[in-house]
Every structure is written in structure tokens, then in C-alpha cells.
Amino acid sequence: MSEANGDNVWILGTYMTKFGRHTDADLIDLAAEAAQGAMKDGGVTIQDMDILGAGSLFNAMAGVGQQLQKQIGQTGIPVYNVANACATGATALRTVYLSIKAGEADMGLAVGVEQMGKGGLLGAGGMGSRSRKVYEPSGRYGSVMQVEGLLGTGLMPGVFAQAGMEYAYENDGVGFEQFAKVAEKNHAHSTLNPLAHYQKQFSLDEVMTAEMMSYPNTLLMCCPNTDGSAAVVLVSEEKLKTLSKDQQRRAVKIGASVLTTDPWTERAQIQPDVNTLTRNAAKKAYETAGVDPQDLDLVELHDCFATAELIHYDNLMLCEPGGAGKFIDERGPWRDGKIPVNVSGGLISKGHPIGATGIANIYEVATHLRGEAMDRQIDGAKVGLTHVIGLGSACAVHILEKSAV
């Protein structure tokens, strides 16, 4: 993709609802608030949109985009409903991004939304019955019994706990305390974010002595299920040049947009690999944007569990290889550190409404690049990275830049 031919794609408007329990609004209400907020922020209307991308994992078959149109305006434009694990929102954004890149649209709206309630931490996999006495091959893989918990795990707490423990085993200076420091940081950061689900600070001791979920992740090291929505308006560079000087001044360039899945590895057939596809996405994103990891002024990464954030310091090349423990010990990812990570509070404290998370991360970084993050502003921020990963697996990495048209 040539960036020299004026075919850049820009963020024109962004919006994020308050994350938390929304008992007075349904899924479409939340999506509509985010969509209308993003368009208002960009100074445009639904009549200006050429395409709509809508992401919702739990409502993948509900035609969320079409339902949303009935609330914010039915203009006959193409709608793409997407579901792609925790990368659902980022995939909705990429749908619009690629349509603009292809010249099929000048401007488009991407919305991510989820209403999760209290769904628990486990995710796919479940307990199942272990009382079977007759074992006959069945199903796609000829299974004769459930292997969950016996031969690897597909449950979220177990997968990310195991990934963290493998990293700790392979690298010096990483243990329970380093993982807990990640959650301590993110809870502290969230106190400055009025849109976060939780805005409460916890001491390192409180994090470490909280109820254990899946070692080494305690309850305060796990993201909460959350209701919420986020939206973004994207615009072509050619179209942006026709808009007002203020719209151009606030626009944020998408320097790179990358989506990856798992390459085949033998060991990943037993235990999901959350590392390789992230490393692949990051490498391609840095090359596409012409950016070095040390150029980043802030990062919003996928900290569904504290162990996930720590290993992604290494996967995203924010620290030297094997140096994630040292990076957190030296306060590198704190808001006043070398590369601030999850200044929003991250998923651990901001919340994780699955379909919305990928776009919410975009909202956060774009807001800092615009200099509009108020009390949590990272001064002088010019380049930022967002990252999401969902088991299955799918990983999206975006690099955003404060850059003149």
C-alpha cells in the first residue's frame, strides 16, 4: 500500500461511551450514542457516510448495523456486520479503512458495541460432563472425551495465565510481583479516566492478596465484563482536504492498519499461542508506518489479564527481548515512564466490552494525539499504537500519527 500517493486514511471523529453497567440503555442505544458522538466530533452527519462497519461479538447474527441505521438514519449505504473475537471492533474499523483505500468510499463510520452484563470470566470451553462411560469417536476431530483442563485449556484465565508463566519460566526477573505491578499501574491510571468502568486505585499488596482466579492472575488482575460502545469516522485524504481547517487540524492519520491470525505451529494445537500473531502484526505495522517502537509516545494494548500486558511489552518490542520484567520494575509503562501503556486504565480497569474494545483503544490514542485527553494527557504525544487480540485467534495493530494533511 503506497502512502506516497495521497491515499492515506484519517480519523475525523471519535467517541466512546462511559464503560460500565448500562441498565437504562440497550445495545442499539449504546451504539447510537457512540455513532452520533463520533459524527458530531468530526463535524459530519450520517448523510456524509458512504459505508458503515458494525462490530458486536455476542450479537453477531442480529444485523446490528441495520438496527443501528434505523435509529441514526437509513441512507441505503452498504453495511458490514463483523465478528472477530476481541478484535471485532478493530475489524469493523478495518472494513471501513479498506473500503476507503480501495476508492469505494470517501468517508465511513465504524462502530463497536457490546452489552455483556455479568457473563463471568471463563468464555468458551465450559465445564462439560466427565461422567461418560462409553467413548466413541465423534465430531470433526474424532474426539472421545473432553480434554479441557487435561490437555491444555481454551478458557481465557487459563490461557493467559499459562502464557504469562511460560514467559516467567523463560526469562529472568519475572514473577508474581511483576504481573501484579501491571494491574497496580492500570488501576492507578484509571483514576484519571471518567469513562472507565472502575476509577479506583489499589495498592500492590491489595492486588496480590485479592482472590486468585488462575495463578498468577488475581481478581484485580482480570478485566471486568462491561457494557459500552465506541465509534470512529474515517475519511480519505482527498476528501479531508476539502473540509475545514479545524477538521484538518484535529484529524489523526492511520499510519498502519494490520490484522493477523495464527500461523500453524505444532504446540498451538494444544495451547493457544497469543504471542506469534502479535509479533507478526507489530513487525508489519512498524514497517508500514516507518516507525520504530521507541518512537511511540503511548500504547493501548490488550490487557485482558495482567499476564497478557506484560508479555505484550515484549511482543510489541516496547522493551528489549526478555526484558518485560525489568520494564515494569523500572516503571517504563507508567504514564510518566519511557513508553506509557494503557493510560486509560486498560481493559483491567476501563473494562472490556468485547465488540467495542478495538475502537475504544483507537479513541484513547487519537484523543491524546489531538491534545484533548485533559487530566490524563500525555504531553506532546505524536505517535501511538493500539493492539487487540482475541483467541481463535485474531490480532489487530494500528499506528496513529499526529500529522498535517
Side-chain angles (χ1 to χ4, degrees):
M1 293 183 295
S2 172
E3 301 294 348
N5 298 327
D7 65 346
N8 294 318
V9 177
W10 297 73
I11 295 170
L12 184 65
T14 62
Y15 187 91
M16 171 182 154
T17 69
K18 164 77 171 154
F19 279 9
R21 302 274 179 257
H22 287 275
T23 58
D24 57 346
D26 64 19
L27 184 84
I28 303 305
D29 290 330
L30 293 172
E33 178 188 340
Q36 291 172 322
M39 290 187 289
K40 181 178 180 181
D41 180 65
V44 292
T45 72
I46 190 64
Q47 301 293 335
D48 298 305
M49 300 302 114
D50 300 316
I51 182 175
L52 169 62
S56 181
L57 188 63
F58 289 2
N59 295 271
M61 302 298 290
V64 169
Q66 285 84 346
Q67 290 190 58
L68 175 60
Q69 280 186 308
K70 293 176 182 177
Q71 192 146 321
I72 66 173
Q74 294 174 274
T75 58
I77 59 176
V79 170
Y80 293 88
N81 293 297
V82 306
N84 203 14
C86 295
T88 291
T91 304
L93 184 152
R94 267 187 58 81
T95 301
V96 176
Y97 171 90
L98 292 173
S99 291
I100 294 174
K101 277 282 191 182
E104 294 182 352
D106 290 323
M107 192 181 299
L109 173 66
V111 183
V113 62
E114 214 74 73
Q115 195 158 38
M116 300 178 68
K118 296 185 176 181
L121 282 168
L122 295 181
M127 292 298 292
S129 172
R130 300 193 185 277
S131 62
R132 293 180 61 189
K133 302 299 183 183
V134 178
Y135 298 102
E136 296 178 353
S138 64
R140 180 176 182 85
Y141 300 107
S143 300
V144 296
M145 65 180 291
Q146 184 186 24
V147 298
E148 174 58 44
L150 300 175
L151 188 64
T153 180
L155 302 181
M156 308 303 174
V159 168
F160 287 98
Q162 177 70 13
M165 292 304 292
E166 287 185 0
Y167 189 85
Y169 176 78
E170 294 168 358
N171 298 282
D172 295 333
V174 180
F176 182 35
E177 183 174 327
Q178 282 65 46
F179 293 123
K181 285 180 177 179
V182 170
E184 177 195 20
K185 169 185 68 71
N186 289 354
H187 286 298
H189 284 175
S190 73
T191 62
L192 299 176
N193 185 3
L195 297 179
H197 188 148
Y198 297 116
Q199 295 134 55
K200 183 177 180 180
Q201 191 161 356
F202 294 93
S203 69
L204 182 62
D205 184 64
E206 287 175 313
V207 172
M208 296 177 71
T209 58
E211 180 183 0
M212 184 60 65
M213 294 291 103
S214 184
Y215 189 86
N217 291 310
T218 68
L219 181 62
L220 293 177
M221 297 158 72
C222 304
C223 66
N225 292 318
T226 307
D227 306 335
S229 182
V232 62
V233 174
L234 302 184
V235 63
S236 69
E237 185 160 303
E238 183 178 1
K239 179 68 174 180
L240 180 60
K241 289 177 179 179
T242 70
L243 303 181
S244 72
K245 292 299 181 182
D246 187 58
Q247 287 169 304
Q248 293 180 28
R249 177 187 62 81
R250 296 180 70 242
V252 173
K253 188 174 81 170
I254 300 178
S257 175
V258 177
L259 183 67
T260 60
T261 57
D262 292 319
W264 190 92
T265 60
E266 185 174 1
R267 69 178 307 279
Q269 307 313 300
I270 295 175
Q271 185 71 22
D273 175 9
V274 301
N275 298 309
T276 305
L277 76 167
T278 291
R279 287 182 173 274
N280 290 346
K283 183 175 183 293
K284 184 174 180 180
Y286 292 135
E287 290 175 352
T288 300
V291 167
D292 185 90
Q294 300 308 308
D295 294 330
L296 299 174
D297 296 306
L298 75 160
V299 171
E300 287 287 311
L301 63 76
H302 199 77
D303 61 316
C304 47
F305 299 90
T307 49
E309 175 165 329
L310 188 129
I311 64 177
H312 289 316
Y313 296 156
D314 201 322
N315 291 331
L316 296 172
M317 298 169 247
L318 308 183
C319 63
E320 61 186 18
K326 180 181 178 182
F327 188 57
I328 188 66
D329 282 342
E330 295 180 349
R331 295 178 62 90
W334 281 76
R335 57 174 295 103
D336 58 353
K338 186 177 181 181
I339 303 178
V341 177
N342 288 335
V343 295
S344 66
L347 280 60
I348 287 174
S349 204
K350 180 179 66 179
H352 182 25
I354 294 176
T357 294
I359 298 180
N361 288 357
I362 294 283
Y363 163 84
E364 181 68 21
V365 171
T367 299
H368 284 271
L369 299 186
R370 288 169 156 184
E372 299 174 357
M374 302 179 69
D375 291 343
R376 67 185 188 282
Q377 176 68 44
I378 299 300
D379 292 337
K382 294 181 180 180
V383 183
L385 178 146
T386 70
H387 159 263
V388 287
I389 180 174
L391 292 187
S393 296
C395 177
V397 169
H398 288 85
I399 292 178
L400 308 184
E401 303 174 45
K402 180 180 180 180
S403 179
V405 179

